[in-house]
PDB file of all heavy atoms in Angstrom:
ATOM      1  N   ILE A   2      71.544 -55.353-105.142  1.00 87.00           N
ATOM      2  CA  ILE A   2      70.915 -56.578-105.689  1.00 87.00           C
ATOM      3  C   ILE A   2      70.265 -57.302-104.525  1.00 87.00           C
ATOM      4  O   ILE A   2      70.940 -57.562-103.489  1.00 87.00           O
ATOM      5  CB  ILE A   2      71.913 -57.492-106.430  1.00 87.00           C
ATOM      6  CG1 ILE A   2      72.544 -56.699-107.568  1.00 87.00           C
ATOM      7  CG2 ILE A   2      71.223 -58.736-106.907  1.00 87.00           C
ATOM      8  CD1 ILE A   2      73.668 -57.466-108.281  1.00 87.00           C
ATOM      9  N   GLY A  76      82.595 -52.327-124.064  1.00 90.00           N
ATOM     10  CA  GLY A  76      82.480 -52.568-122.610  1.00 90.00           C
ATOM     11  C   GLY A  76      81.307 -53.467-122.267  1.00 90.00           C
ATOM     12  O   GLY A  76      81.127 -53.840-121.093  1.00 90.00           O
ATOM     13  N   SER A 110      81.896 -58.641-121.232  1.00 96.00           N
ATOM     14  CA  SER A 110      83.303 -58.129-121.282  1.00 96.00           C
ATOM     15  C   SER A 110      83.866 -58.232-119.893  1.00 96.00           C
ATOM     16  O   SER A 110      83.190 -58.340-118.851  1.00 96.00           O
ATOM     17  CB  SER A 110      83.323 -56.695-121.779  1.00 96.00           C
ATOM     18  OG  SER A 110      82.716 -55.866-120.779  1.00 96.00           O
ATOM     19  N   ALA A 111      85.211 -58.130-119.822  1.00 95.00           N
ATOM     20  CA  ALA A 111      85.909 -58.093-118.540  1.00 95.00           C
ATOM     21  C   ALA A 111      85.396 -56.890-117.688  1.00 95.00           C
ATOM     22  O   ALA A 111      85.259 -57.014-116.506  1.00 95.00           O
ATOM     23  CB  ALA A 111      87.424 -58.055-118.754  1.00 95.00           C
ATOM     24  N   GLU A 112      85.178 -55.812-118.369  1.00 95.00           N
ATOM     25  CA  GLU A 112      84.718 -54.550-117.708  1.00 95.00           C
ATOM     26  C   GLU A 112      83.341 -54.833-117.035  1.00 95.00           C
ATOM     27  O   GLU A 112      83.136 -54.441-115.868  1.00 95.00           O
ATOM     28  CB  GLU A 112      84.593 -53.436-118.727  1.00 95.00           C
ATOM     29  CG  GLU A 112      84.111 -52.138-118.143  1.00 95.00           C
ATOM     30  CD  GLU A 112      83.987 -51.025-119.257  1.00 95.00           C
ATOM     31  OE1 GLU A 112      84.675 -51.188-120.311  1.00 95.00           O
ATOM     32  OE2 GLU A 112      83.241 -50.090-119.024  1.00 95.00           O
ATOM     33  N   LEU A 113      82.477 -55.503-117.773  1.00 95.00           N
ATOM     34  CA  LEU A 113      81.130 -55.746-117.259  1.00 95.00           C
ATOM     35  C   LEU A 113      81.236 -56.777-116.077  1.00 95.00           C
ATOM     36  O   LEU A 113      80.569 -56.640-115.049  1.00 95.00           O
ATOM     37  CB  LEU A 113      80.182 -56.247-118.318  1.00 95.00           C
ATOM     38  CG  LEU A 113      78.749 -56.453-117.957  1.00 95.00           C
ATOM     39  CD1 LEU A 113      78.104 -55.253-117.352  1.00 95.00           C
ATOM     40  CD2 LEU A 113      77.974 -56.962-119.165  1.00 95.00           C
ATOM     41  N   ARG A 114      82.006 -57.826-116.234  1.00 96.00           N
ATOM     42  CA  ARG A 114      82.229 -58.818-115.234  1.00 96.00           C
ATOM     43  C   ARG A 114      82.794 -58.192-113.914  1.00 96.00           C
ATOM     44  O   ARG A 114      82.375 -58.500-112.822  1.00 96.00           O
ATOM     45  CB  ARG A 114      83.150 -59.956-115.681  1.00 96.00           C
ATOM     46  CG  ARG A 114      82.455 -60.950-116.615  1.00 96.00           C
ATOM     47  CD  ARG A 114      83.335 -62.198-116.872  1.00 96.00           C
ATOM     48  NE  ARG A 114      84.680 -61.966-117.184  1.00 96.00           N
ATOM     49  CZ  ARG A 114      85.087 -61.787-118.424  1.00 96.00           C
ATOM     50  NH1 ARG A 114      84.253 -61.841-119.456  1.00 96.00           N
ATOM     51  NH2 ARG A 114      86.381 -61.591-118.648  1.00 96.00           N
ATOM     52  N   GLU A 115      83.778 -57.249-114.078  1.00 95.00           N
ATOM     53  CA  GLU A 115      84.347 -56.574-112.965  1.00 95.00           C
ATOM     54  C   GLU A 115      83.308 -55.728-112.219  1.00 95.00           C
ATOM     55  O   GLU A 115      83.328 -55.689-110.980  1.00 95.00           O
ATOM     56  CB  GLU A 115      85.569 -55.757-113.386  1.00 95.00           C
ATOM     57  CG  GLU A 115      86.752 -56.540-113.812  1.00 95.00           C
ATOM     58  CD  GLU A 115      87.858 -55.705-114.483  1.00 95.00           C
ATOM     59  OE1 GLU A 115      87.750 -54.502-114.441  1.00 95.00           O
ATOM     60  OE2 GLU A 115      88.777 -56.365-115.027  1.00 95.00           O
ATOM     61  N   ALA A 116      82.478 -55.098-112.962  1.00 94.00           N
ATOM     62  CA  ALA A 116      81.460 -54.215-112.399  1.00 94.00           C
ATOM     63  C   ALA A 116      80.437 -55.099-111.563  1.00 94.00           C
ATOM     64  O   ALA A 116      80.135 -54.744-110.448  1.00 94.00           O
ATOM     65  CB  ALA A 116      80.674 -53.434-113.456  1.00 94.00           C
ATOM     66  N   VAL A 117      80.062 -56.238-112.097  1.00 94.00           N
ATOM     67  CA  VAL A 117      79.158 -57.085-111.427  1.00 94.00           C
ATOM     68  C   VAL A 117      79.787 -57.740-110.206  1.00 94.00           C
ATOM     69  O   VAL A 117      79.125 -57.968-109.163  1.00 94.00           O
ATOM     70  CB  VAL A 117      78.551 -58.151-112.404  1.00 94.00           C
ATOM     71  CG1 VAL A 117      77.775 -59.237-111.637  1.00 94.00           C
ATOM     72  CG2 VAL A 117      77.700 -57.523-113.461  1.00 94.00           C
ATOM     73  N   ALA A 118      81.088 -57.983-110.288  1.00 94.00           N
ATOM     74  CA  ALA A 118      81.798 -58.607-109.160  1.00 94.00           C
ATOM     75  C   ALA A 118      81.822 -57.624-107.928  1.00 94.00           C
ATOM     76  O   ALA A 118      82.051 -58.104-106.803  1.00 94.00           O
ATOM     77  CB  ALA A 118      83.237 -58.938-109.554  1.00 94.00           C
ATOM     78  N   LYS A 119      81.526 -56.388-108.146  1.00 95.00           N
ATOM     79  CA  LYS A 119      81.539 -55.362-107.073  1.00 95.00           C
ATOM     80  C   LYS A 119      80.139 -55.189-106.474  1.00 95.00           C
ATOM     81  O   LYS A 119      79.924 -54.311-105.688  1.00 95.00           O
ATOM     82  CB  LYS A 119      82.090 -54.021-107.577  1.00 95.00           C
ATOM     83  CG  LYS A 119      83.554 -54.063-107.950  1.00 95.00           C
ATOM     84  CD  LYS A 119      84.027 -52.774-108.534  1.00 95.00           C
ATOM     85  CE  LYS A 119      85.452 -52.938-108.970  1.00 95.00           C
ATOM     86  NZ  LYS A 119      85.915 -51.721-109.717  1.00 95.00           N
ATOM     87  N   ALA A 120      79.199 -56.057-106.899  1.00 93.00           N
ATOM     88  CA  ALA A 120      77.798 -55.900-106.499  1.00 93.00           C
ATOM     89  C   ALA A 120      77.705 -56.072-104.948  1.00 93.00           C
ATOM     90  O   ALA A 120      78.514 -56.781-104.344  1.00 93.00           O
ATOM     91  CB  ALA A 120      76.953 -56.923-107.160  1.00 93.00           C
ATOM     92  N   THR A 121      76.678 -55.438-104.408  1.00 92.00           N
ATOM     93  CA  THR A 121      76.393 -55.641-102.999  1.00 92.00           C
ATOM     94  C   THR A 121      74.935 -56.235-102.978  1.00 92.00           C
ATOM     95  O   THR A 121      74.148 -56.036-103.852  1.00 92.00           O
ATOM     96  CB  THR A 121      76.437 -54.271-102.232  1.00 92.00           C
ATOM     97  OG1 THR A 121      75.546 -53.343-102.906  1.00 92.00           O
ATOM     98  CG2 THR A 121      77.813 -53.733-102.168  1.00 92.00           C
ATOM     99  N   ILE A 138      80.422 -58.883-102.169  1.00 63.00           N
ATOM    100  CA  ILE A 138      80.982 -60.187-102.570  1.00 63.00           C
ATOM    101  C   ILE A 138      82.435 -60.299-102.100  1.00 63.00           C
ATOM    102  O   ILE A 138      83.188 -59.378-102.242  1.00 63.00           O
ATOM    103  CB  ILE A 138      80.985 -60.303-104.174  1.00 63.00           C
ATOM    104  CG1 ILE A 138      79.591 -60.221-104.694  1.00 63.00           C
ATOM    105  CG2 ILE A 138      81.629 -61.607-104.566  1.00 63.00           C
ATOM    106  CD1 ILE A 138      79.525 -60.240-106.227  1.00 63.00           C
TER     107      ILE A 138
END
Side-chain angles (χ1 to χ4, degrees):
I2 300 174
S110 68
E112 180 181 340
L113 186 57
R114 284 192 310 272
E115 288 169 12
V117 170
K119 295 176 184 174
T121 55
I138 297 176

